[in-house]
Amino acid sequence: MHFLGNLGIDIGLLIAQVVNFVILLWVLSKFVYKPLIKRIEADEAALAESARAEEALVEKERELKLTEQHYLTETKERAKAIIEEAEGIAESIREQAQEETAREKEAVIAQINQRLAEVNRHGSS
């Protein structure tokens, strides 16, 4: 110990500084490090929860896009079927109208021919 004294180190002061350092270490550990570590762990947990929530939202968005695409495709197919059906009905109506027009035309021609025949009979008598 005399050796430390020769170096200019006071043993009492060294022990007091070691005790003060231990007390400072205990105070920092109790009032600073533990609350700080708890806060860091809470922040990490919140970040992890946010990441899970973001993943869930991304998955939900993907599902909604797939559902939207499915409904859009289905709607387009239904619209195409309705248009095809409407075109078929329109063609059928057009054909019926043409047939009816042809029948009416034949009926009018037949009436005209009949009247001409009547006129010819009356005119030749």
Side-chain angles (χ1 to χ4, degrees):
M1 294 273 203
H2 188 42
F3 173 73
L4 292 175
N6 288 338
L7 291 176
I9 299 175
D10 184 11
I11 296 292
L13 185 62
L14 180 64
I15 291 173
Q17 286 181 349
V18 168
V19 169
N20 282 337
F21 180 74
V22 169
I23 291 172
L24 177 66
L25 196 60
W26 179 80
V27 168
L28 287 175
S29 174
K30 181 81 173 172
F31 297 107
V32 176
Y33 295 141
K34 285 184 183 178
L36 186 62
I37 288 176
K38 285 181 183 178
R39 176 59 190 225
I40 290 172
E41 287 174 351
D43 288 347
E44 286 176 350
L47 286 173
E49 180 62 30
S50 294
R52 284 192 294 274
E54 181 182 6
E55 288 175 10
L57 286 174
V58 167
E59 178 64 23
K60 185 70 173 174
E61 179 183 14
R62 187 185 67 77
E63 289 175 8
L64 287 173
K65 283 184 180 180
L66 288 174
T67 302
E68 177 186 13
Q69 185 65 34
H70 171 73
Y71 284 133
L72 184 60
T73 302
E74 185 177 310
T75 302
K76 284 181 180 179
E77 289 173 0
R78 285 183 183 173
K80 185 178 178 182
I82 290 170
I83 289 171
E84 288 175 357
E85 183 180 351
E87 287 174 348
I89 291 171
E91 182 63 30
S92 174
I93 290 172
R94 196 174 307 120
E95 288 175 2
Q96 288 176 357
Q98 286 177 348
E99 289 173 6
E100 188 175 328
T101 303
R103 281 193 302 270
E104 288 176 4
K105 179 179 165 184
E106 289 174 8
V108 168
I109 291 173
Q111 284 179 353
I112 291 173
N113 286 336
Q114 184 181 10
R115 289 197 179 175
L116 282 175
E118 288 176 8
V119 170
N120 284 340
R121 275 188 259 146
H122 289 295
S124 48
S125 347

